[in-house]
Amino acid sequence: MPRIKRILVTGGAGFLGSHLCERLVADGHDVICLDSFFTSQKSNVSHLLAKPNFELIRHDVTVPIFLEVDEVYNLACPAAPGHYQFNPIKTMKTSVLGVIHVLGMARRCRAKVLQASTSEVYGDPEVHPQVETYRGAVNPIGPRACYDEGKRAAETLIMDYHRLNRVNIRIVRIFNTYGPRMHPYDGRVVSNFIRQALAGEDITIFGDGSQTRSFCYRDDLIEGIIRMMNGPDEFIGPVNLGNPGEFTIRELAELVIELTGSKSKLVYKPLPADDPTRRRPDITLAKQHLGWEPKVKLREGLIETIKYFKSVRLEDFRAPTPNY
Ligand code: NAD
Ligand code: UDP
């Protein structure tokens, strides 16, 4: 019988956080979900509220909080470009102050901390596929910097708390992940294309659509995160978690049209500043140390995500609340 742990998930009501909470609750752990609901809604976790091993706290991680826990998954941070650029100063504070507060708490109660970092730490990469030793090419003053540099600073802080204060840590660098419970208006490419295709609206390709991304289905990702938290203390990361299947954005649009049977047309819009031209994880380390690799193909994952988008009422979702 595995030990029951008290686990804090910051950003636990979000797309990935809510699935992580669901899995940890099902595994019998005592789960505290903390969220400010900046980019999420309570309905993501309302089905867990009646469980005796689940608690929900509305709190902003830029403000300290003290809880006695064994583990923390630190996911609180807007992740979609439109969401994190909504208030870039707040985004940087969320990453930096958020991780400082989590690490201070973890140091005091000797909790293990897993930091949800990102492939964005590689910026617009000159090394392809991206290996963990690559240091990245981030524009520190561009519109994506609030997120990229915030996450880079969070990696620095978590490593320094580890070296200086012996906090037990893990760092995962998550590559584009999609699936049911993505916010339909988050502006990310998968949610935009599916929403547009289902409504018969034009599908908006930014640039010429030749830029690439590698899309990981949420179940694969959650499995990877949990394996990393529970893996050997000698392997703290950073480790890439993502699906190495690489697609152009145009290929993604064509696949969404095929799977939805939509009559939508492709339209081309200007490419946002600093949009990375290519992205694909090298997952050798995850395979070696965690025995992990993604199983769900893009086509299968998109079918599940399309079913979800068909099942929701778009009027139940709103744009992020101003949050200063
Ligand atoms: P999401 O926006 O659905 O979830 C983020 C959650 O954090 C939301 O519930 C939001 O309300 C909450 N939050 C934001 N600011 C907060 C604050 N100041 N205090 C408390 N809660 C706050 O996004 P997601 O895709 O589920 O991403 C989860 C984590 O994974 C993020 O840290 C993100 O950077 C990381 N990540 C995700 C992806 C991806 O493709 N989904 C890729 C790389 C990294
Ligand atoms: N994109 C697009 N149309 C959209 C939304 C996004 O062509 O409606 C492109 C975007 O320019 C980027 C890629 O799709 O090249 C992935 O964008 P997303 O915002 O999902 O994530 P990113 O990996 O850029 O953080």
Side-chain angles (χ1 to χ4, degrees), residues 130-150:
Q130 289 78 60
V131 281
E132 289 85 347
T133 46
Y134 174 53
R135 293 182 186 176
V138 172
N139 173 5
I141 55 169
R144 297 176 84 101
C146 60
Y147 182 70
D148 302 7
E149 298 289 16

Side-chain angles (χ1 to χ4, degrees), residues 7-25 31-49 54-61 73-79 83 179-184 186 188 222 308 317-318:
I7 302 178
L8 170 66
V9 181
T10 75
F15 161 50
L16 293 177
S18 61
H19 289 290
L20 182 60
C21 287
E22 208 170 83
R23 165 79 184 265
L24 295 170
V25 165
V31 177
I32 305 173
C33 166
L34 180 154
D35 208 295
S36 66
F37 300 107
F38 175 45
T39 59
S40 56
Q41 46 287 316
K42 288 172 215 148
S43 57
N44 282 352
V45 288
S46 53
H47 60 296
L48 296 174
L49 286 173
F54 180 78
E55 268 172 280
L56 178 60
I57 303 176
R58 179 191 278 267
H59 183 79
D60 189 315
V61 291
Y73 290 84
N74 189 36
L75 270 62
C77 186
H83 284 170
R181 262 185 232 151
M182 292 186 88
H183 195 298
D186 66 13
R188 290 190 254 203
I222 298 299
Y308 171 76
F317 295 87
R318 52 177 168 69

Side-chain angles (χ1 to χ4, degrees), residues 86-268:
F86 179 80
N87 182 344
I89 298 167
K90 175 74 193 222
T91 299
M92 180 70 100
K93 284 185 182 172
T94 296
S95 271
V96 175
L97 294 176
V99 81
I100 289 174
H101 295 149
V102 160
L103 287 163
M105 181 172 76
R107 178 188 171 194
R108 191 174 53 84
C109 64
R110 297 207 172 85
K112 197 197 291 185
V113 178
L114 178 142
Q115 170 65 10
S117 191
T118 167
S119 53
E120 282 283 318
V121 299
Y122 302 123
D124 191 3
E126 304 111 326
V127 170
H128 193 73
Q130 289 78 60
V131 281
E132 289 85 347
T133 46
Y134 174 53
R135 293 182 186 176
V138 172
N139 173 5
I141 55 169
R144 297 176 84 101
C146 60
Y147 182 70
D148 302 7
E149 298 289 16
K151 289 285 188 178
R152 286 169 68 97
E155 285 198 12
T156 307
L157 282 158
I158 194 170
M159 284 303 303
D160 283 334
Y161 269 77
H162 174 65
R163 284 187 285 250
L164 197 69
N165 296 319
R166 302 210 180 131
V167 175
N168 193 357
I169 61 151
R170 303 285 188 272
I171 302 174
V172 295
R173 290 182 179 157
I174 304 170
F175 284 64
N176 297 61
T177 302
Y178 68 99
R181 262 185 232 151
M182 292 186 88
H183 195 298
Y185 295 118
D186 66 13
R188 290 190 254 203
V189 69
V190 172
S191 14
N192 267 10
F193 285 4
I194 295 180
R195 193 174 36 74
Q196 290 163 342
L198 290 177
E201 291 167 5
D202 290 344
I203 293 198
T204 52
I205 293 189
F206 300 163
D208 64 3
S210 64
Q211 71 273 34
T212 67
R213 293 293 186 273
S214 303
F215 299 99
C216 187
Y217 189 60
R218 57 115 212 258
D219 293 359
D220 284 330
L221 200 276
I222 298 299
E223 179 62 30
I225 289 185
I226 287 181
R227 283 195 196 194
M228 185 60 181
M229 179 64 110
N230 294 292
D233 283 344
E234 299 70 47
F235 183 59
I236 59 172
V239 65
N240 289 338
L241 292 180
N243 191 321
E246 185 180 358
F247 296 82
T248 67
I249 294 306
R250 206 169 37 239
E251 283 169 337
L252 176 74
E254 282 159 4
L255 189 54
V256 168
I257 288 184
E258 180 202 322
L259 296 175
T260 51
S262 172
K263 302 235 176 325
S264 292
K265 293 193 308 296
L266 304 185
V267 297
Y268 292 84

